[in-house]
Structures are given as structure tokens and as C-alpha cells.
Amino acid sequence: MELNTAKPRKMLRFVVLSLLFLLGLCHFSAGMNMMKSNFIVHMAKSQMPESFEDHTHWYDSSLRSVSGSAEMLYVYNNAVHGFAARLTAEEAESLQNQPGILSVLPEMKYELHTTRTPSFLGLDVSADYFPESNAMGDVIVGVLDTGVWPESKSFDDTGFGPIPASWKGECESGTNFTSKNCNRKLIGARYFAKGYESTLGPIDVSKESKSPRDDDGHGTHTSTTATGSVVQGASLLGYASGNARGMATHARVAVYKVCWVGGCFSSDILAALDKAIDDNVNVLSLSLGGGNSDYYRDSVAIGAFAAMEKGILVSCSAGNAGPSPYSLSNVAPWITTVGAGTLDRDFPAYVSLGNGKNFSGVSLYKGASSLSKMLPFVYAGNASNMTNGNLCMSGTLIPEEVKGKIVLCDRGINPRVQKGSVVKAAGGAGMVLANTAANGDELIADAHLIPATSVGQTTGEAIKNYLTSNPNPTATILFEGTKVGIKPSPVVAAFSSRGPNSITQEILKPDIIAPGVNILAGWTGAAGPTGLAEDDRRVEFNIISGTSMSCPHVSGLAALLKGAHPDWSPAAIRSALMTTAYTVYKKGGALQDVVTGKPSTPFDHGAGHVDPVAALNPGLVYDLKADDYLNFLCALNYTSIQINSVARRPFSCATNKKFRVADLNYPSFAVVFPEQMTASSGSGSSSIKHTRTLTNVGPAGTYKVNVIKPSNSVKVVVEPETLAFTRMNEQKSYTVTFTAPSMPSTENVYARIEWSDGKHVVSSPVAISWT
């Protein structure tokens, strides 16, 4: 009888393979545990053991208790209390359990939110309203971005006095940058790259400068928008020619380079905020953002809180994820969140078709190869073998199908200017760039490398109909230069991120909008206006768009208000900008949204479009102190540890007090009715009460309230209806009761609450919604 050994052998093979697989898993798991990444460690500084003489020694000891090899990237003293270090997941978890550790948060990557405006804002004819240059010379604006091109004429310090005695910053040296690059205008320059390098490796100095020098252009553009000196005869390739100037021409500027080719990392951003606070800046401008997190996990929000406590206004871009709802960045209530609107200036470039029809577009193209005759016209989707050929991505076009022709490309995925470069590389003679539904009819001008124009979705569809219906389509592009006086303006930009606020819906964001479309400002000498590697043109000024551009407008205007009112808090300055903003055009009609062509809402424009001349004398302001924000965190049911992470000190929510988000003294109202609240109300309606306090910053006066409410579906009652102020800094409180029917509304309701003494109008937007 022969034994059947096949089955035992198979079993043995299975066991061996299983053991090898498990060993492999263990090896993989161990490898995963050994992988290191950056973490930001928040410490309860007040809990430092007495055995340590200095908090840095305690931080180091805590780190050594979990890792003998980890090194600190940064030690934070102002923006947060703690440090950044590179750790394994296991080490981070172990550190979290150590005494005195509030939280251990993983590094986050942030992205940038990427002339005529002073005149558009009324600054050219209203200089007498603003403080003398010697007062403005004491105001310092700190800009966290890609660095600075110090040779820009916008940093000319002619006429500037000595650097303010309050300034404690430095001008750091590095690749292609020395302390001599700073002057009495550009008084500080630092760079922060430890988080970036520990994650992505050493900076390649052949591609970007390991120094404050700006090789990208974005940082120079934002810093000169905020504070640039007057430069005569400025333009981009002849477009938008005139005098270029920032919002606060006499303010000083300090740059903090935190963004590199691979992005902006939270450990570097926190280190820059830490230094900027210590350097004694008065305003901070951050045109960057990342994913939204709870405030105690958001590095920018935490650093901004520390800055606010030191009297520094922090202005941040709202993001470029519009027009989708809930798309905002930087929504903490102690941050001024800025959306984008258009100017009354345009750069028309018309598409003339073979059938005699003309369609308007925009372009900043300037070159010898301007089109002078009708050329064959082709849709990119029909000149490609790729499913995404319509997008004109690299390598997707068939040269034989586009050579010598104008090509219609659809917007999306790759940069707009890169599409023109792809058409050029394939032999095309020109490009028409058509918006899709994602961008509607919003037009953004670009300095293309090829004769090109951008058209809206509606125009794009009409042109495509011509291409499909005509056997031999032809076209040409006519460039018309610069046009001003465009109406209506401003309108809310399509890309500008929209509310509601995804973290705290009861806080209305954005706060305000400012010019952010086709903005002329200083540029780097290291890159062309498109930023493409193949663009060898060099310009002193560039025209670009984004909430990155609107943010420094507000930062500069905040500097103007700080110069005029040095004793005002960040909250008072923001209140002045918000309560004097406008939502109606001078000749009537509500502010429009470019996406819909209809009136925009507070979820689009916040309080409205900034009006700096009116903001200088607001009459009344809604002021806030640090503890008011901490009480707000109590209303969100934050734990003491979570509040400590933001406040950098122990803070306990009083057990005998009821905390409500509706009591935060914010200059706007976001009223949220829970559906179950309205549906379960026995009285057939439900009410929510908000409390506010106004501070008089003007002459004595009696203010009467007016509620502007297009819809009667929600009742709004303000008590009292009159507030009498007899002296400067006097405070008066009022309540607003919002009453809604038991059946939830399917649409949001918008209103405005205005207080006026006949000279001032203190206006607050109201957004009412159901969840």
C-alpha cells in the first residue's frame, strides 16, 4: 500500500508560504513604523517640571524620552509653545502620552492661492484722509509667501526715514541674497525651510534660492500689492500702463519665505509666524491655505491667534475653490478672511470667425507674431487621439492636425498658459481657450506665449457650434489692449471660495472681498510672466489673479488704518473694513456674482466689497479680545487641552456660565436653524437670539437701527432700536432675535442690519439657513 504524500506536502508548502507572508508583513509593518515624518508638538509650558531651568531643555528631554536620534527642526516660543521634530508614528504616539504634551500633530502642506486698484478703491483722490507718511512709516507689514525680489522698484526707499525702533527683525543672507538687499522700505527678510527639506530633501539651489530671494514671483507680487512704493510708467508688456503702487505705500515690509517649489509646510509657516511676532510686525498677510481642520489642529489658526493677542491683524486668502459652497480656507474668527472681486479694467481680445461673427475674450499676449489674417480653425478634441485631447495637455495634440491653425482648447486640469505652450509646440499658430461649466463666463487674462484669448463658457459653446457646422472653419484674434470703466464692477470672481463656513457655520465667512482679478504688481526677475520654464521673457511687473491677490489688498488697507488709529485692535480694524463695505453699486443695483449674473450673497462676498475711505471713519466698531475668542471655543465644547493648544496657556470654561457662539461680538450674523428645532416647535415657530456690543470710535451721536430684509419668511427684531453715545470708546449692547416658521425654508434668507447717526452707516450682513 502506497502512502499518499501529496496532501501533506501541499500543507507543508502552505504553512511555509504563510510564515513567509507573515514575516513579510511584520517586516513591512516594522518598515512602516520606521518611516519618519514631521510632527508639531504642542506643550503645556505652564506644566514644566521644576527640575528644568529652561523650557527648551524640557522640550529636548521629552523628545529624548521617545527617540535617541530625533532632532528638533524648530523650537516655537510665540506662535505656539512647543517644537517640530521628525518622528516615526510609534514615537509620535509615545510622545503624545508624555506629561505636559497637549497634542502631537502631523505636518500639513499648504498651497499658494493664486496700478489700477488704488484708483478703483479711491485711494488716489483721498490721500488727505489718510495719515502722514511719518505715521505710516511706523507700520510694518509681514508677508509669508515665496520670498522677495529686492531689486524691484516697488521696494525703493527714497524719502523713507529711519527704520522704526520697534523693529527687532533681520535681513538674512543665503543663496543670491545678502543683508545689503534690504533697505528702509524692505526692512526684513527671512527664510524657513527645515520642514520642507526634512520632508522632500535638500533644496536644489540650481533651481531655487535657499534664501529670502523669490524665484517664483508670487511673494514679490503680494508684498508689492500690500506696500509697494509708487513706480511711474509700470506695465506688463504695455498692458495696464500707469503708476503702480501698493495699498500702503509708506508702510515698511518684512518678508518671510515659507513656500518652495514643493509647497508650503506647516512647521515652516509656524516658525515664520513665531519670528514675525517676535520681530514686532503690525499686520500679517498670508496668501496660502490648506485643508480645513478644527482650530486646535490648524497651524495657521493657532499661530494667528498668538499674533492677534499681540495686536497683529492677520489677513488670509479665502481660497480659489469657488464657486462651490463650503469651499473656504482660513475660517478662524480671529483671522480676516478675504475673497476676490474684479476691477473695472479689462484686456479685450476678440475672436473673429469666418462667418463674420465676433466674440469677446481677454488676453495679455504681446508679440511679433500677432495674427493679421484668417487662419484655419480646429477643435483640439478633433486634433488628438487622446480622450482628454480637448484639454491641450502635453503630448496630446497631433502636429499634422494643428500646424498653422488656431486651436480651440477647453479649460481644466493643466495651467491655462501651458495649454498655449502645448499648441505652440505642436505647430499651432494661435489658441482660443474656452471655459467649461466649472468656470462659467468668468474671464482671466494671461500673458500667453502664443497669440491667444480666453472666452467664457457661453461664448465657447457658440464657437464650438461654428466649428462643428462649418466644413472649413477659419478665425483670427484681434488684441485691443487695455480698457477701463468696465461695468458692472466689481463682481464676485468665480474662483473665489464660498461659504458657508465648514468648521463653524454660525460664523459668517468670507469676511470681505477685495480686488483679486487681473492685478498688476511687482514680479521676480528669475521667471517669465507665465512661470513656465520655456518662458524666457523677463518683466518688472506681472498681472495675475486669485484670492492671493485680494488678501494683500486688505493687508495693506489694514496697515493704513493702523497708521491712522494705532490704538485700534485687530478686531476693530477688521470691523471698520467690514461695516463700511458696500454691496450696492454707486448707480444702484446689488453686487453681482459672475457665475450666475445675479446678486451675490453674504456667503459669496461676506460683508461686501472693501471701501478704505469709509473704513477710516466707521463711527462704531465691534471689538473683541482674546478671552472673547476663548469663550467662543468654550461654546464649541472644546476641552481644556484643546483650548490650551490655541491659547498657549491654561484656560477653563466657567461652569456657572452658558457659552453661546451667538454671543461672539462678530460684525456679521450667520443664523442657523436646526431643522429638528423648527419642526418640533410647539408654537409654530422658533427663535434664536444674538447679542452684540458696539464701541464708539467717533463723535457723540445717536444711532438708529434699520433692518433691510427682502424676505418676510424670518422675523428680525432688534432691541433697543436706538443707541446713544456721548463719549469716545463708550460701549452699548443690543440683541437681535430671529424668528422662523416651524417649516424649514428650502432657500437661505439674507438681510442687513444697519445702524446710522445720519453721517455713518454701520452695516452687518445676515445669512439665515437651515441644517
Side-chain angles (χ1 to χ4, degrees), residues 69-397:
S69 60
E71 293 185 4
M72 290 187 191
L73 300 173
Y74 295 107
V75 173
Y76 305 116
N77 298 309
N78 301 298
V80 299
H81 290 157
F83 60 91
R86 194 160 180 78
L87 304 165
T88 65
E90 185 177 358
E91 289 169 346
E93 184 178 356
S94 178
L95 188 59
Q96 177 72 75
N97 297 323
Q98 296 293 315
I101 305 292
L102 295 171
S103 62
V104 181
L105 304 179
E107 175 110 85
M108 279 187 63
K109 182 181 175 184
Y110 290 74
E111 301 291 345
L112 296 166
H113 286 152
T114 297
T115 120
R116 174 73 184 160
T117 48
S119 175
F120 184 67
L121 294 173
L123 296 180
D124 58 337
V125 296
S126 307
D128 292 341
Y129 290 101
F130 290 93
E132 296 293 331
S133 59
N134 56 351
M136 278 307 307
D138 290 333
V139 181
I140 304 165
V141 178
V143 181
L144 274 65
D145 213 293
T146 63
V148 64
W149 190 261
E151 291 81 8
S152 171
K153 295 176 183 177
S154 296
F155 298 115
D156 180 24
D157 66 351
T158 301
F160 277 77
I163 293 172
S166 62
W167 175 243
K168 297 180 180 179
E170 295 180 12
C171 195
E172 297 178 351
S173 297
T175 311
N176 302 318
F177 200 96
T178 72
S179 59
K180 293 181 180 180
N181 287 119
C182 291
N183 58 19
R184 290 171 297 177
K185 173 69 172 179
L186 174 62
I187 63 174
R190 298 182 186 270
Y191 67 100
F192 303 84
K194 292 179 181 178
Y196 175 80
E197 288 192 308
S198 64
T199 302
L200 298 180
I203 289 171
D204 184 349
V205 294
S206 68
K207 297 180 179 179
E208 58 180 333
S209 302
K210 189 176 179 179
S211 73
R213 182 166 290 280
D214 178 16
D215 302 301
D216 177 272
H218 192 277
T220 302
H221 198 281
T222 55
S223 57
T224 56
T225 296
T227 66
S229 298
V230 177
V231 180
Q232 297 180 346
S235 74
L236 167 63
L237 305 173
Y239 288 99
S241 59
N243 293 342
R245 51 160 291 179
M247 298 297 97
T249 57
H250 296 291
R252 320 287 180 141
V253 63
V255 298
Y256 300 83
K257 184 175 179 178
V258 296
C259 296
W260 308 83
V261 169
C264 327
F265 288 80
S266 55
S267 61
D268 296 328
I269 294 170
L270 264 181
L273 289 170
D274 203 63
K275 278 294 185 185
I277 293 169
D278 200 43
D279 289 345
N280 271 348
V281 301
N282 302 109
V283 176
L284 276 167
S285 187
L286 288 79
S287 291
L288 49 82
N292 276 333
S293 304
D294 285 317
Y295 307 124
Y296 66 91
R297 299 180 62 87
D298 184 336
S299 293
V300 170
I302 293 170
F305 187 92
M308 173 274 301
E309 278 198 296
K310 294 285 188 178
I312 302 167
L313 182 137
V314 181
S315 170
C316 292
S317 48
N320 297 340
S324 301
Y326 295 98
S327 55
L328 292 161
S329 297
N330 303 313
V331 295
W334 48 86
I335 289 174
T336 300
T337 310
V338 188
T342 63
L343 289 173
D344 63 342
R345 179 179 64 197
D346 217 342
F347 309 100
Y350 297 91
V351 183
S352 182
L353 302 181
N355 61 4
K357 292 185 177 181
N358 295 320
F359 294 94
S360 62
V362 295
S363 180
L364 295 169
Y365 171 76
K366 194 75 161 209
S369 55
S370 295
L371 305 178
S372 58
K373 61 180 181 179
M374 287 286 180
L375 294 174
F377 195 16
V378 64
Y379 179 48
N382 297 329
S384 173
N385 293 324
M386 305 289 189
T387 55
N388 61 351
N390 63 305
L391 296 174
C392 295
M393 298 178 72
S394 183
T396 60
L397 298 179

Side-chain angles (χ1 to χ4, degrees), residues 717-747:
V717 177
V718 180
E719 296 178 311
E721 295 182 349
T722 301
L723 297 174
F725 296 89
T726 60
R727 64 183 186 277
M728 181 74 76
N729 296 322
E730 184 179 5
Q731 295 186 329
K732 298 280 185 177
S733 296
Y734 69 94
T735 62
V736 188
T737 304
F738 301 92
T739 304
S742 58
M743 290 301 293
S745 174
T746 57
E747 294 185 357

Side-chain angles (χ1 to χ4, degrees), residues 706-720:
N706 179 35
V707 178
I708 302 171
K709 185 167 61 71
S711 170
N712 292 320
S713 60
V714 177
K715 186 178 180 181
V716 182
V717 177
V718 180
E719 296 178 311

